[in-house]
């Protein structure tokens, strides 16, 4: 349990987020505020990303999952950052995208060390943040 706690703390630092352990699963608490423009109205909302890992194996791999909300204009930058990250995507990686006109939800799943997943995901989130500042 102590090793899981230490791993969770490292992932929290990498994701710049709080973490919580629940029954062998690490929940990463990361929020993001976005502005949605729809039908000439502007909405600001804060969203909770669902990010977690569980079933840590002896080799360090775990089942990593994330549900990330993006604006349609951010999707390409986010996916490109995931794919161009220096650590190759694992063979057990999947993502799918659900869209509506105003917001996109990207579901990610992989089996790899949680730190690798966290670094890649954090880099992708930083990429869209950097693009919004330009």
């Amino acid at each position: 349990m102590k090793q899981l706690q230490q791993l969770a703390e490292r992932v929290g630092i990498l994701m710049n987020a709080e973490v919580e352990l629940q029954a062998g699963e690490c929940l990463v608490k990361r929020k993001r505020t976005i502005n949605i423009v729809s039908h000439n109205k502007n909405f600001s909302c804060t969203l909770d990303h669902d990010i977690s890992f569980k079933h840590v194996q002896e080799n360090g791999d775990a089942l990593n999952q994330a549900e990330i909300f993006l604006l349609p204009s951010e999707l390409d930058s986010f996916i490109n950052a995931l794919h161009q990250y220096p650590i190759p995507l694992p063979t057990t990686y999947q993502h799918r995208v659900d869209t509506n006109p105003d917001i996109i939800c990207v579901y990610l799943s992989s089996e790899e060390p949680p730190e690798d997943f966290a670094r890649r995901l954090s880099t992708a989130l930083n990429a869209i943040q950097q693009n919004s500042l330009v």
Side-chain angles (χ1 to χ4, degrees), residues 12-56:
I13 291 168
L14 291 169
M15 293 293 304
N16 191 27
E18 293 181 26
V19 293
E20 181 181 315
L21 291 176
Q22 289 184 357
E25 181 175 7
C26 177
L27 306 173
V28 180
K29 311 276 186 172
R30 183 157 172 168
K31 296 177 186 256
R32 179 167 182 250
T33 301
I34 61 173
N35 292 312
I36 299 172
V37 178
S38 180
H39 306 294
N40 296 326
K41 293 184 181 178
N42 197 8
F43 302 93
S44 179
C45 57
T46 301
L47 304 167
D48 292 318
H49 296 303
D50 289 332
I51 305 166
S52 66
F53 68 86
K54 61 185 174 185
H55 305 304
V56 180

Side-chain angles (χ1 to χ4, degrees), residues 39-94:
H39 306 294
N40 296 326
K41 293 184 181 178
N42 197 8
F43 302 93
S44 179
C45 57
T46 301
L47 304 167
D48 292 318
H49 296 303
D50 289 332
I51 305 166
S52 66
F53 68 86
K54 61 185 174 185
H55 305 304
V56 180
Q57 302 170 18
E58 285 187 28
N59 67 0
D61 287 354
L63 174 60
N64 304 280
Q65 297 178 311
E67 183 177 296
I68 307 297
F69 295 98
L70 305 171
L71 297 171
S73 61
E74 298 172 327
L75 181 62
D76 287 342
S77 294
F78 182 81
I79 297 297
N80 287 337
L82 286 176
H83 290 191
Q84 293 174 1
Y85 189 73
I87 298 172
L89 289 167
T91 56
T92 54
Y93 166 82
Q94 300 176 35

